[in-house]
């Protein structure tokens, strides 16, 4: 497999020459290959131990929550401004400003509701991801420079060739280096 984006819920096994070079390979449980990367130090990333679909949803939700928070802050500022104006103007508060105030109140309620649901889902995903165990990378022979292995939340980058692995199982203990 060369310069590809591969995603699998369970595992990826590269048969034949067993070479995985370039791109990103994600698997929920296992990746098995004879050779990872190439002599040219081509960037090759392998992630196992976290369901790729959950991970993608987790990061998308994280971005959505960040954007929602920014938008909610704008709504709150608008509400504060209009409420101040209304308290100063009392009975002469313009109807168009009143309509805007009502729209902002409605938007605030909707935003709060959707943010609560998104936060609950985010916390659920975070809990599920932290509970995931296992994940392994089995290398039959060589890991070249430029390879980045991620098992769960543990990461290891290879800057030198590692040879003669003979189906070495690379688990969390081998990827303790944090990035």
């Amino acid at each position: 497999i060369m310069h590809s984006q591969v995603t699998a819920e369970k595992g990826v096994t590269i048969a034949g020459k067993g070479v995985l070079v370039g791109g990103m390979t994600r698997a929920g449980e296992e990746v098995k290959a004879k050779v990872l990367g190439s002599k040219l130090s081509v960037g090759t990333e392998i992630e196992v131990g976290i369901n790729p679909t959950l991970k993608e949803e987790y990061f998308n939700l994280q971005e959505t929550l960040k954007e929602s928070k920014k938008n909610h802050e704008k709504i709150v500022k608008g509400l504060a401004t209009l409420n101040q104006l209304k308290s100063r103007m009392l009975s002469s508060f313009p109807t168009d400003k009143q309509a805007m105030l009502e729209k902002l109140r409605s938007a605030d309620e909707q935003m709060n509701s959707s943010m609560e649901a998104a936060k609950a889902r985010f916390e659920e995903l975070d809990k599920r991801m932290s509970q995931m165990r296992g994940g392994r990378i089995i290398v039959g022979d060589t890991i070249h420079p430029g390879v980045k292995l991620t098992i769960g939340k543990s990461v290891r980058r290879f800057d030198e060739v590692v040879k003669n692995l003979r189906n070495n199982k690379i688990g969390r203990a081998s990827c303790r280096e944090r990035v």
Side-chain angles (χ1 to χ4, degrees):
I1 297 177
M2 297 182 69
H3 309 290
S4 299
Q5 302 294 318
V6 178
T7 302
E9 295 247 344
K10 297 271 183 192
V12 174
T13 300
I14 295 117
K17 290 184 179 181
V19 179
L20 179 57
V21 179
M24 168 69 84
T25 301
R26 293 183 175 115
E29 296 175 11
E30 178 181 276
V31 171
K32 186 175 183 179
K34 185 175 181 183
V35 178
L36 299 179
S38 75
K39 294 176 185 175
L40 300 174
S41 300
V42 174
T44 305
E45 295 185 41
I46 293 108
E47 291 183 358
V48 296
I50 294 179
N51 182 313
T53 308
L54 289 181
K55 184 175 182 179
E56 186 175 342
E57 183 182 357
Y58 178 85
F59 285 110
N60 288 341
L61 204 50
Q62 193 173 38
E63 286 301 310
T64 300
L65 281 168
K66 201 180 294 184
E67 282 298 312
S68 293
K69 187 175 179 181
K70 285 180 189 176
N71 291 334
H72 187 251
E73 288 171 1
K74 290 176 186 176
I75 290 170
V76 168
K77 284 180 183 178
L79 281 169
T81 302
L82 285 173
N83 281 326
Q84 275 183 339
L85 185 62
K86 185 176 182 177
S87 68
R88 279 189 265 137
M89 296 182 85
L90 298 174
S91 62
S92 62
F93 192 61
T95 56
D96 64 327
K97 300 283 186 209
Q98 182 64 38
M100 187 182 297
L101 183 63
E102 294 305 318
K103 282 183 182 178
L104 282 175
R105 284 181 182 153
S106 175
D108 184 46
E109 286 177 22
Q110 287 177 339
M111 183 67 72
N112 282 330
S113 175
S114 67
M115 283 177 61
E116 280 183 35
K119 282 179 188 176
R121 178 65 178 154
F122 182 79
E123 288 170 6
E124 176 189 339
L125 289 174
D126 190 49
K127 183 178 178 183
R128 284 177 63 185
M129 285 176 52
S130 67
Q131 290 174 342
M132 288 185 171
R133 298 284 179 248
R136 63 186 178 172
I137 300 167
I138 301 172
V139 182
D141 185 44
T142 307
I143 300 175
H144 289 283
V147 172
K148 176 183 169 190
L149 303 180
T150 304
I151 300 176
K153 292 184 179 181
S154 300
V155 177
R156 181 169 177 193
R157 294 178 192 272
F158 289 81
D159 298 323
E160 297 178 4
V161 174
V162 179
K163 288 190 171 213
N164 301 320
L165 292 170
R166 293 192 186 101
N167 288 324
N168 192 3
K169 292 178 181 147
I170 299 167
R172 282 185 197 269
S174 302
C175 290
R176 287 287 183 222
E177 173 188 325
R178 297 272 181 188
V179 177

